[in-house]
Amino acid sequence: MRSRMRWRASLALAALAAGACTAGAATMSVQVKSGQLRATPSFLGRVVAPLSYGDRVEILETKNPWMRVAGPRGQRGWVHGSALTEKKIAMASGSRDAQTGASSDELALASKGFNSDVEADFKAKHRNVDFTWVDRMEKWKAAPEAMQAFLKDGGLKPAEGGAR
Amino acid sequence: MTARPRSAFAGARPAAFAAAAALAAALAAGCTSVTRVVTTAGAAAGVITPEQAESINKSAAAIEKSYEDITPEQEYYIGRAVAATVLVTYAPYDAPAANEYLNLLGQTLSLFGAAPETFGGYHFILLDTEEINAFSAPGGLVMISRGMVRLCGSEDELAAVLAHEIGHVENQHGLRAIKKGRLTSAVMTMLAEGGKSFGGAELAQLTEAFENCIGDIAGTLMNSGYARATEYEADASALAILRSAGYDPAALVGMLREMQKRWVPNGPGFGRTHPEPSDRIAEIQAQIGAAPAAAAPSVRVARFKEKMRGV
């Protein structure tokens, strides 16, 4: 009897392990600072809604490397697979999500680590390392229309994204 | 006494065997948080001992300790500091039109890579030096010297250089240059306590790990260079990007031929940090053949000359 109960327990564990992993594959996290949900699977597609770092999205359809997903606020659209990760990403320390998720290794790892606090400390210790140009570089962003025109004028291919 | 199977689980009861199989499956699938749940539940159910559970959890944690567990946000902060460190040695070249064209070309190319979307995106800048070199910091901050741009005869060749750098970014070569011990201590610190701000000693320890990571990557970029195979991998990524975007991949060979003419083993710039160009050419031609690059359309030649005039 005792042995049968153990069997049941272990079968439940096996189901838990398998189920959790499968569920993990169907839901993914946004791993970029600012992402976009698009109307079509292309970088030229109209932006339907913005996505934020750590947003959980449900995978509805995959057209490698693009994925059609349902966003956290119910919006549906296409996002490039490289903007998503199967890992859960916790919000910055102190946020609601970080506090509720603090017991999980996975979330804890994401919420700690090299962040703006560490960068500030690094800057204070290395006054000769100037981030001015790095901040400036990050603002340099070509507009999608400019990239589209650049490709067309140059006799290049349209940017469908990651056709590898 | 019945015969028992000779395996790692020899002597285990069937229930424990099934639980272990479930754990193995969870581990193989990379579900380490699930592992923790399962081992906790398993220990509670008496299927495995608390000691066994702890041992399995430790193995799972060890698997996690690799550069792959640096989150995109952490990679972004590492990349910022690596770029800022490179910019201490090499001054930025403040030429708005040239930098704008460089970003238009580089960001457009990045759309054709394996990782078009990174946490902070791809950004490019010219460096004010005659030295022939280019660097990419984790996450997509790419720096290219005026000397390197001058060596490029066309947009296609510049695209080849940028595609190679994008290759380093998408393959996370920078993060892989972090020495093993450092990453482990950094990750250990990160794992210590989650979900709260850190102060004092914790922050100091974390900043030290951060400094060491930056030192490893910046040192690799500017002094020691990546392993030969790593450069070949970036070249392979470059070929894929060029081909997908519609550039002739042979432009990379054209560029390397120019570099070969200026090759000084262990000399400043790429001579110290890269394999000899002729070796890279051989490797590339094994993939794409030896046909010379087709002539680029005049519009690409013209816009390159116009935007990079004076660089």
Side-chain angles (χ1 to χ4, degrees):
Chain A
M1 182 65 194
R2 191 173 157 79
S3 143
R4 183 172 295 177
M5 274 178 70
R6 282 195 181 155
W7 256 113
R8 276 191 192 153
S10 54
L11 283 175
L13 293 177
L16 174 62
C21 289
T22 310
T27 310
M28 296 179 85
S29 302
V30 175
Q31 63 170 345
V32 296
K33 194 160 40 173
S34 54
Q36 293 87 29
L37 272 182
R38 297 176 185 279
T40 52
S42 159
F43 284 113
L44 306 180
R46 181 174 55 84
V47 176
V48 178
L51 290 171
S52 305
Y53 186 63
D55 276 353
R56 299 286 287 167
V57 297
E58 190 193 336
I59 310 304
L60 305 172
E61 184 185 346
T62 299
K63 215 184 242 182
N64 202 23
W66 290 87
M67 289 174 171
R68 197 167 77 86
V69 305
R73 289 162 291 277
Q75 333 85 312
R76 292 179 175 215
W78 293 89
V79 62
H80 193 277
S82 66
L84 303 176
T85 174
E86 285 183 10
K87 291 179 187 172
K88 264 190 180 176
I89 296 173
M91 295 299 97
S93 299
S95 78
R96 191 165 36 86
D97 288 18
Q99 279 163 12
T100 53
S103 59
S104 152
D105 283 358
E106 210 169 3
L107 293 173
L109 175 68
S111 65
K112 266 191 86 97
F114 304 145
N115 58 18
S116 54
D117 290 346
V118 173
E119 183 181 290
D121 202 32
F122 176 85
K123 283 174 177 167
K125 283 190 184 151
H126 303 270
R127 300 269 180 207
N128 64 321
V129 182
D130 187 355
F131 282 66
T132 307
W133 277 95
V134 173
D135 293 336
R136 211 169 282 176
M137 277 176 88
E138 285 186 3
K139 294 198 182 89
W140 294 342
K141 185 88 196 82
E145 304 75 40
M147 293 197 269
Q148 195 176 350
F150 183 82
L151 288 165
K152 191 162 179 281
D153 297 347
L156 298 161
K157 292 183 188 164
E160 295 304 318
R164 296 184 64 188
Chain B
M1 189 87 190
T2 52
R4 285 178 174 147
R6 295 181 67 83
S7 76
F9 299 107
R13 281 178 292 238
F17 188 87
L23 293 174
L27 276 169
C31 294
T32 45
S33 62
V34 172
T35 311
R36 170 69 69 178
V37 171
V38 173
T39 47
T40 306
V47 176
I48 50 174
T49 67
E51 288 75 17
Q52 283 170 327
E54 199 43 45
S55 159
I56 290 162
N57 286 332
K58 276 185 186 154
S59 318
I63 290 165
E64 282 185 321
K65 279 175 213 149
S66 73
Y67 73 92
E68 289 167 10
D69 290 305
I70 291 182
T71 64
E73 189 178 20
Q74 289 161 5
E75 180 179 19
Y76 163 80
Y77 281 106
I78 290 171
R80 279 174 54 82
V82 167
T85 302
V86 170
L87 292 173
V88 173
T89 304
Y90 298 94
Y93 184 58
D94 189 3
N99 277 317
E100 190 184 344
Y101 169 75
L102 187 72
N103 277 278
L104 181 55
L105 172 58
Q107 289 172 3
T108 302
L109 282 171
S110 75
L111 300 182
F112 295 92
E117 306 224 38
T118 65
F119 183 86
Y122 290 81
H123 305 281
F124 302 77
I125 194 167
L126 291 166
L127 300 175
D128 192 3
T129 173
E130 299 283 326
E131 194 180 294
I132 297 164
N133 223 334
F135 310 100
S136 54
L141 298 177
V142 178
M143 298 154 278
I144 173 169
S145 73
R146 292 171 68 195
M148 180 65 106
V149 171
R150 278 191 219 140
L151 209 56
C152 299
S154 66
E155 177 177 300
D156 295 44
E157 290 186 357
L158 179 58
V161 175
L162 299 183
H164 173 90
E165 296 306 318
I166 292 167
H168 281 308
V169 174
E170 66 185 31
N171 291 299
Q172 296 188 298
H173 289 156
L175 296 187
R176 288 200 236 163
I178 297 171
K179 293 192 174 80
K180 265 204 165 63
R182 307 211 194 285
L183 191 55
T184 303
S185 73
V187 172
M188 287 295 278
T189 310
M190 286 184 259
L191 280 171
E193 284 173 77
K196 71 173 189 113
S197 302
F198 16 86
E202 269 182 310
L203 181 60
Q205 202 185 340
L206 206 49
T207 304
E208 193 188 337
F210 186 70
E211 282 168 340
N212 289 334
C213 289
I214 306 312
D216 287 346
I217 301 170
T220 302
L221 295 182
M222 294 191 282
N223 300 313
S224 55
Y226 289 121
R228 182 170 287 263
T230 304
E231 292 300 339
Y232 291 165
E233 190 175 30
D235 280 340
S237 293
L239 297 178
I241 292 168
L242 292 169
R243 196 180 294 113
S244 300
Y247 286 103
D248 188 340
L252 182 55
V253 174
M255 187 62 213
L256 287 165
R257 287 231 163 85
E258 290 304 310
M259 289 169 72
Q260 183 68 45
K261 289 179 196 163
R262 290 153 186 85
W263 170 252
V264 182
N266 300 312
F270 75 98
R272 187 166 54 205
T273 53
H274 284 72
E276 185 164 358
S278 58
D279 291 349
R280 290 171 63 189
I281 291 172
E283 196 73 16
I284 291 163
Q285 289 188 331
Q287 296 169 61
I288 64 166
S298 57
V299 62
R300 298 214 293 260
V301 177
R303 69 188 180 188
F304 170 79
K305 292 230 157 93
E306 188 208 330
K307 300 295 183 185
M308 289 302 179
R309 193 195 310 135
V311 171

